[in-house]
Amino acid sequence: MMSAYSPDSQAAPAPLRHLLIADAAPLPQLADADAPPLPPLPNLDALLARLRPTHTLTCDEGSPETPHALAVARANGLPGEPGRLPWAAFESGTVGTPCAWLRPAHLQMGMDDVQLIGLDQLELSAEESEQLMAAVAPLLTDDGLTLRHAFPGAWLAQGELLRHLFAPAPERAAGRLLTRTELARADDPAQQRQLARLLSELEMVLATHPVSQVREAARRWPINAVWVHGAGALDAPLPPAPGVRVAPQLSQGAAAQDPATQAAAWQAIDRGEAAELLASLRAGVPVQLTLSGPERAVTLAPSGSGLWSRVSSLFGRPTLMELRKQL
């Protein structure tokens, strides 16, 4: 899943009916006693007063997808199992042709394992990304693949080699010790040999490229590999579900590390998307709110309008902090 790349937006957006908030868990470096309270969030509080948990997605440490990605896939009706979700085809609006995201990456190589450096640590410029893509494009062409620059650090590849691949998300792989069998792989042995050869050739080109040499001299991570993910094909058009939206503010910039920045991001969500979702709820739209963290994604929906629902809600209302600690 690529948060910075999405299908064309609708000409007339539908009323917001499902808001998904990524990275909603408390910051991991803070113990409960040290976590500062969030500022007032009146729109989120009003939503939680009328919504109840209805569905939970749980991912263990070895899951190839994040709970947030699985929740977004579910909300949009994206077919496939974790690690085999055709994100590239969905996000680029491609039908019939297998696609995948290729991400310039740095792998630390060990004797029996590799470790992916977090892609956000690479800070690849547009010029670097385009130069590296131009260098590897002929190799992909030889294997029947086309390549298009989507944005810095993300290339859209298309071709039959990308059909039926297992390709885990880089967010789940970064920082872990991985064996080669945990990287992108094909089920068919002949296809796997072709894929492995291509990835090995790409590693050699990227590791010796002047861009990587300049980066290494400047004590920046050189690019020595590509990370494949979101591979697969869509057999029929699958536009984004109307009224489904992701709030990315908690994943951006310093919000993932700094409590004050995270608090400001929560306020931005409350003023924007949460206020819009609350307006939809008050207008009678059947809304959903999903909060995602590293282990779980919890979806909330209206609890009903009967007397028993209203009475029980007084005693069963989860607070935002209680929900966040579950993620």
Side-chain angles (χ1 to χ4, degrees):
M1 178 182 175
M2 300 287 294
S3 60
Y5 192 90
S6 61
D8 293 338
S9 60
Q10 305 165 44
L16 181 59
R17 64 176 182 83
H18 190 171
L19 174 63
L20 299 103
I21 302 178
D23 291 326
L27 295 178
Q29 67 268 30
L30 295 178
D32 290 346
D34 298 327
L38 291 175
L41 303 170
N43 294 309
L44 280 166
D45 286 342
L47 283 167
L48 293 179
R50 298 176 62 176
L51 304 179
R52 294 296 173 269
T54 59
H55 187 268
T56 300
L57 282 166
T58 301
C59 296
D60 60 30
E61 185 179 347
S63 172
E65 301 279 356
T66 65
H68 174 66
L70 293 178
V72 174
R74 182 172 181 265
N76 285 283
L78 188 63
E81 301 173 355
R84 298 179 184 272
L85 293 167
W87 284 115
F90 173 67
E91 293 171 312
S92 65
T94 303
V95 177
T97 302
C99 303
W101 290 116
L102 302 189
R103 306 293 303 277
H106 181 86
L107 292 178
Q108 290 187 307
M109 310 289 186
M111 290 293 293
D112 302 312
D113 50 47
V114 298
Q115 186 173 32
L116 175 70
I117 298 301
L119 299 184
D120 58 341
Q121 298 181 43
L122 301 182
E123 299 181 341
L124 201 66
S125 70
E127 183 179 2
E128 289 173 325
S129 182
E130 290 171 355
Q131 288 182 23
L132 292 171
M133 191 192 77
V136 302
L139 294 176
L140 276 78
T141 299
D142 290 343
D143 279 290
L145 300 176
T146 62
L147 199 58
R148 175 158 59 90
H149 194 271
F151 59 89
W155 311 329
L156 178 67
Q158 297 178 313
E160 282 300 318
L161 181 59
L162 306 173
R163 193 184 295 274
H164 303 312
L165 295 188
F166 173 84
E171 296 85 357
R172 296 301 277 185
R176 295 173 49 214
L177 292 178
L178 307 168
T179 64
R180 288 284 180 173
T181 60
E182 294 179 275
L183 309 184
R185 63 180 186 270
D187 298 328
D188 178 75
Q191 183 185 4
Q192 172 59 24
R193 288 192 295 271
Q194 183 182 5
L195 178 65
R197 174 190 51 75
L198 175 60
L199 293 178
S200 179
E201 292 175 353
L202 295 178
E203 289 176 4
M204 289 187 287
V205 170
L206 292 169
T208 58
H209 194 279
V211 165
S212 291
Q213 295 175 347
V214 170
R215 289 174 61 91
E216 190 165 19
R219 297 193 175 184
R220 301 169 63 204
W221 292 113
I223 306 302
N224 64 0
V226 295
W227 189 268
V228 182
H229 73 104
L234 289 175
D235 297 328
L238 183 64
V244 174
R245 193 183 310 167
V246 170
Q249 293 94 327
L250 295 169
S251 307
Q252 297 174 332
Q257 294 89 29
D258 177 61
T261 306
Q262 189 190 65
W266 275 110
Q267 287 181 303
I269 292 171
D270 190 73
R271 290 191 303 267
E273 294 92 341
E276 190 175 345
L277 190 70
L278 180 60
S280 294
L281 177 62
R282 288 171 172 167
V285 177
V287 305
Q288 296 181 81
L289 171 66
T290 296
L291 305 174
S292 301
E295 298 180 4
R296 295 177 186 85
V298 177
T299 297
L300 303 96
S303 57
S305 57
L307 176 61
W308 174 248
S309 295
R310 291 198 298 271
V311 171
S312 62
S313 70
L314 296 175
F315 301 96
R317 173 189 174 187
T319 66
L320 180 58
M321 180 54 74
E322 289 170 344
L323 289 168
R324 294 175 67 209
K325 288 180 179 179
Q326 298 177 25
L327 305 178

